[in-house]
Amino acid sequence: MATDVDVQFFSHLNGLTLDNNWGDLIRMLDKALVSGIDFTQITAVSIDAQGDVHITLYAAHNAMLFQVVELTGFAPASLNQKYRIKGVPSTTELILKPHTVIVETSITTVGAGKLASLGYDIIFRDTNDVKRVYRSKNPTAQHPFIRIDESLTSPDGTTGVYTSTYAKYAMVGLLEYMEHIDDYENPDVLQLPFDPSDPAKNWEITGTGTGVVRGWAKWIWATINEAINTATTLSKPPTNKPRLFTLVGDSDAFYLLNSRGVGERKLIAGCGVFDSVHADSNITPEWFLMSTLNTTTADSDFPTVNAQGGASLAYNAGAATFFVSKKDTSVSSSHTVASPVLPDLMTGASDLYSATHIAALQIPFSDAEKNLRGTLKHVAYSGNSLEQASTTPLLSGSSMYVYDHLTATSATISKGGLYFYLGELE
């Protein structure tokens, strides 16, 4: 078997910034989803007896064990492929395990390297550089258009104005088809989330000052507090300090665990295609969206763990939910709510399987109509409590994982956490 190189992860530990600035989320997603992170000049390279590639860089790489590296411009051409980072001897050295076996033993041309992206394209971007539409490279009909919008005003610039010092979040949604960046009011196009009575609801900004309402589905990255045990208020200016995060996935689906305050307590966002249990899933796209879904004014108490989707996969039955397209839906119908099928809602905190080195369980889920829908890609419930530092790569046999905190309880000690399966290291 070949080493798996499809599922990638990124972190604040790679030098990416998710701070209290507008544009931070989009800039990070551009790097992680689309371009990757370029290394500095490769000053030395060799192939060892096991076929692993050793590279030395001019400056620190900020790379982590089991991340995916892509090499280009080398001769022989067999080196131009993707690799897993098998070893990190120093801040300027990496040992790379190739996906495809390299038979050559000498290198005639030294090329360039980078941390590979998750495999998306930017389909549309606006002139003000505050909106993106991403989509999987080489997509099938199942792959959605992912719209991310950091706009602060309504299109006319006056009827809706969100103050720039307030909490930072992007409006987010999935669409079946788009012809331009603001093409979201067609009721004949499947969307998630969607309100048939107001097709533009997910993207509307109305009101001004503390009475402003900005969007519906939100990916939040900077608030004044952790907003775990109590509600937060969007109108209160967040602290200026980089947030901790892990982003992991592939061209089908990805997840973002990030702190919203300045501590380590994280909540999850994410979107993409899930593994369906239905044989006819190629007819109706099977999507999921993990987000906060709310239309409160900026000065109102903003619920997190006490709202649907507020803490997907954890905490309590309402908060642990997320949103999916309806099975056998008509395009003009609303979305539905999904609930994970888990031993409990305290992933990484309840320690049910404490004797197991890596107790990672796949996450199936059902919807509000009582359909068993499928399983989420990549992400896994943690049956043991690790209390690891942020973004921790782990190996179980030949199986690669990355672990990070997820807030699962109100206790400050038992933070909880999730595993993400990266594939096999062969």
Side-chain angles (χ1 to χ4, degrees), residues 6-231:
D6 292 330
V7 182
Q8 173 70 304
F9 70 94
F10 287 92
S11 167
H12 61 279
L13 298 172
N14 295 127
L16 294 175
T17 300
L18 193 60
D19 205 337
N20 181 34
N21 303 300
W22 291 105
D24 278 356
L25 182 65
I26 280 178
R27 305 294 173 264
M28 184 272 287
L29 292 176
D30 283 353
K31 289 282 190 181
L33 300 184
V34 181
S35 67
I37 301 177
D38 291 330
F39 290 149
T40 58
Q41 179 186 2
I42 297 175
T43 58
V45 58
S46 62
I47 305 170
D48 67 20
Q50 289 74 43
D52 296 335
V53 176
H54 297 238
I55 64 172
T56 302
L57 299 158
Y58 176 76
H61 46 66
N62 293 323
M64 302 176 67
L65 196 65
F66 304 147
Q67 285 187 298
V68 179
V69 168
E70 185 175 3
L71 298 183
T72 57
F74 280 78
S78 60
L79 273 79
N80 298 320
Q81 58 170 299
K82 289 183 178 180
Y83 303 75
R84 283 286 177 187
I85 297 177
K86 181 180 177 180
V88 185
S90 75
T91 59
T92 58
E93 296 174 287
L94 294 171
I95 302 172
L96 308 178
K97 179 73 173 179
H99 172 66
T100 302
V101 174
I102 299 171
V103 297
E104 292 86 358
T105 58
S106 61
I107 299 164
T108 57
T109 301
V110 176
K114 68 177 182 179
L115 290 177
S117 74
L118 272 65
Y120 290 77
D121 287 322
I122 297 175
I123 306 301
F124 302 112
R125 65 194 306 165
D126 70 310
T127 56
N128 294 323
D129 208 30
V130 296
K131 305 175 193 175
R132 294 286 189 276
V133 173
Y134 303 101
R135 199 181 190 206
S136 171
K137 290 181 182 291
N138 304 313
T140 68
Q142 289 289 307
H143 290 100
F145 290 74
I146 304 166
R147 188 176 187 273
I148 309 290
D149 189 344
E150 292 187 29
S151 299
L152 297 184
T153 69
S154 56
D156 64 10
T158 58
T159 57
V161 179
Y162 186 86
T163 303
S164 63
T165 58
Y166 289 177
K168 308 302 186 294
Y169 66 87
M171 300 176 283
V172 60
L174 311 183
L175 296 97
E176 187 176 18
Y177 178 74
M178 299 182 73
E179 292 187 347
H180 58 83
I181 198 163
D182 292 324
D183 184 16
Y184 52 73
E185 295 191 62
N186 185 351
D188 295 327
V189 171
L190 184 67
Q191 299 187 43
L192 179 65
F194 187 67
D195 182 348
S197 66
D198 185 2
K201 179 177 180 178
N202 197 39
W203 314 105
E204 291 175 334
I205 304 174
T206 59
T208 60
T210 57
V212 65
V213 175
R214 179 173 173 268
W216 190 19
K218 301 171 172 65
W219 281 359
I220 302 170
W221 77 86
T223 57
I224 191 172
N225 55 27
E226 298 293 347
I228 301 302
N229 302 329
T230 60

Side-chain angles (χ1 to χ4, degrees), residues 115-353:
L115 290 177
S117 74
L118 272 65
Y120 290 77
D121 287 322
I122 297 175
I123 306 301
F124 302 112
R125 65 194 306 165
D126 70 310
T127 56
N128 294 323
D129 208 30
V130 296
K131 305 175 193 175
R132 294 286 189 276
V133 173
Y134 303 101
R135 199 181 190 206
S136 171
K137 290 181 182 291
N138 304 313
T140 68
Q142 289 289 307
H143 290 100
F145 290 74
I146 304 166
R147 188 176 187 273
I148 309 290
D149 189 344
E150 292 187 29
S151 299
L152 297 184
T153 69
S154 56
D156 64 10
T158 58
T159 57
V161 179
Y162 186 86
T163 303
S164 63
T165 58
Y166 289 177
K168 308 302 186 294
Y169 66 87
M171 300 176 283
V172 60
L174 311 183
L175 296 97
E176 187 176 18
Y177 178 74
M178 299 182 73
E179 292 187 347
H180 58 83
I181 198 163
D182 292 324
D183 184 16
Y184 52 73
E185 295 191 62
N186 185 351
D188 295 327
V189 171
L190 184 67
Q191 299 187 43
L192 179 65
F194 187 67
D195 182 348
S197 66
D198 185 2
K201 179 177 180 178
N202 197 39
W203 314 105
E204 291 175 334
I205 304 174
T206 59
T208 60
T210 57
V212 65
V213 175
R214 179 173 173 268
W216 190 19
K218 301 171 172 65
W219 281 359
I220 302 170
W221 77 86
T223 57
I224 191 172
N225 55 27
E226 298 293 347
I228 301 302
N229 302 329
T230 60
T232 189
T233 305
L234 298 179
S235 62
K236 293 182 179 179
T239 304
N240 292 321
K241 185 177 180 181
R243 270 59 181 172
L244 309 182
F245 74 89
T246 300
L247 186 145
V248 58
D250 64 3
S251 58
D252 286 335
F254 65 90
Y255 306 86
L256 172 65
L257 275 73
N258 67 284
S259 58
R260 297 177 179 180
V262 295
E264 291 190 353
R265 309 199 70 186
K266 299 182 182 73
L267 296 173
I268 189 170
C271 68
V273 179
F274 60 83
D275 290 326
S276 176
V277 300
H278 302 293
D280 60 351
S281 62
N282 62 325
I283 299 173
T284 300
E286 300 271 36
W287 305 334
F288 75 93
L289 175 65
M290 293 178 180
S291 70
T292 300
L293 204 62
N294 192 273
T295 55
T296 58
T297 59
D299 64 343
S300 301
D301 284 345
F302 187 85
T304 51
V305 296
N306 294 314
Q308 278 190 338
S312 296
L313 307 182
Y315 212 88
N316 61 43
T321 56
F322 51 99
F323 309 100
V324 295
S325 50
K326 283 188 175 179
K327 183 179 181 295
D328 302 324
T329 187
S330 67
V331 292
S332 60
S333 68
S334 61
H335 58 271
T336 189
V337 177
S339 298
V341 181
L342 296 171
D344 57 43
L345 298 175
M346 297 174 63
T347 175
S350 57
D351 216 21
L352 292 178
Y353 312 114

